[in-house]
Amino acid sequence: MPIELCKTELSQKKNLNDMQVASIIKETAVRAPERMKYIDTWINSSGINNDPILQQYNVNLKMKMIELDGRVLAAPDIEYSRSTRSIVKSETIADKGSWMHANLAFANPVRLTKWALISMSFAKENQCYGLAEQLTQVGRRHGMVIPAPICITSTRPRPTEREIQEKFIDVVKKYHSRESPLNLVMVILYQNNSVYKNVKTLGDLKHGIATQILEQK
């Protein structure tokens, strides 16, 4: 039967948890050469051109993948602060696709004017203040202004979906407005679980506030 005409009757409908989703992504994320080898092996062993129906209609499939011409783009030079003329040359990037910019200031740094920090983990209050101070110091090295957070608050380490929503909305009501918006809400979670999905939905989709999520470890 053509798959378009088939229906699946599920006796139980259940959302996948985060571990199941991660497992599916891991299994399906196959590198291109491996995928190509798998397809070639399947095609060559399938005997598809011996199919009597295809032969009846004089259909013959080529067993070789189509080839296309392509080109490899050269790695760019990366410009940082114009005042110091800091430039990372392309040859230092090309090998690994990454580069070190630990002590370089950005060419056009963005000012973070107002942000909040929510701990949904076992992180203690003094650890949260320590993290905020480190962000300020790192930002300064890169030419960014990162002030102390306007709010540091917390929930219990493993909050329910309702508790997540209540805490997030409480912060938004107190500190976010059209005249004085929150630029960022940073959330520390104990481990990668449903907190991530709920925070992203509340921040990025519902309230239009950028969110950054960190695992406590």
Side-chain angles (χ1 to χ4, degrees):
M1 293 288 289
I3 197 168
E4 293 84 357
L5 301 180
C6 299
K7 291 184 179 179
T8 301
E9 294 294 336
L10 298 177
S11 58
Q12 294 181 348
K13 295 184 179 181
K14 180 182 177 182
N15 291 331
L16 298 177
N17 61 38
D18 292 331
M19 292 297 294
Q20 291 169 327
V21 171
S23 296
I24 289 177
I25 293 173
K26 183 178 180 180
E27 290 296 327
T28 56
V30 181
R31 293 180 181 273
E34 296 174 19
R35 191 181 296 276
M36 179 178 173
K37 183 178 179 181
Y38 169 81
I39 293 172
D40 274 338
T41 300
W42 183 84
I43 286 292
N44 292 327
S45 63
S46 65
I48 195 167
N49 281 330
N50 297 324
D51 186 279
I53 296 177
L54 293 184
Q55 290 179 346
Q56 182 179 345
Y57 287 96
N58 294 321
V59 174
N60 185 66
L61 300 182
K62 290 185 178 179
M63 293 299 164
K64 187 176 180 182
M65 289 187 184
I66 191 170
E67 294 183 2
L68 301 173
D69 290 329
R71 61 194 178 101
V72 178
L73 299 177
D77 292 340
I78 306 295
E79 181 184 37
Y80 282 84
S81 174
R82 293 181 177 88
S83 61
T84 59
R85 297 186 177 180
S86 300
I87 295 179
V88 178
K89 303 298 288 184
S90 60
E91 52 263 30
T92 66
I93 303 171
D95 288 343
K96 296 182 179 179
S98 61
W99 64 98
M100 295 295 294
H101 59 213
N103 297 307
L104 298 175
F106 294 118
N108 186 24
V110 174
R111 182 184 178 90
L112 186 63
T113 57
K114 188 177 174 185
W115 66 289
L117 177 60
I118 305 174
S119 173
M120 298 183 181
S121 67
F122 290 97
K124 295 180 174 60
E125 186 175 337
N126 64 326
Q127 292 176 304
C128 294
Y129 278 103
L131 171 64
E133 177 61 27
Q134 285 182 317
L135 286 172
T136 299
Q137 294 174 7
V138 171
R140 192 179 296 121
R141 288 205 299 269
H142 292 295
M144 297 178 66
V145 176
I146 302 179
I150 196 170
C151 162
I152 291 182
T153 185
S154 63
T155 67
R156 65 192 184 96
R158 293 186 178 89
T160 64
E161 184 172 343
R162 182 175 178 178
E163 289 171 333
I164 296 168
Q165 292 177 353
E166 288 176 349
K167 176 58 69 175
F168 198 97
I169 291 171
D170 180 57
V171 170
V172 169
K173 285 182 177 179
K174 288 180 179 178
Y175 303 103
H176 182 68
S177 66
R178 182 175 296 179
E179 297 75 24
S180 180
L182 279 169
N183 304 134
L184 174 72
V185 174
M186 183 175 289
V187 176
I188 305 172
L189 52 83
Y190 173 60
Q191 58 188 12
N192 192 3
N193 51 29
S194 59
V195 173
Y196 182 93
K197 178 177 63 177
N198 289 316
V199 168
K200 286 296 180 183
T201 300
L202 288 165
D204 298 24
L205 297 180
K206 187 172 182 179
H207 296 286
I209 303 172
T211 54
Q212 178 63 52
I213 298 176
L214 307 176
E215 277 194 82
Q216 180 180 326
K217 64 180 181 180

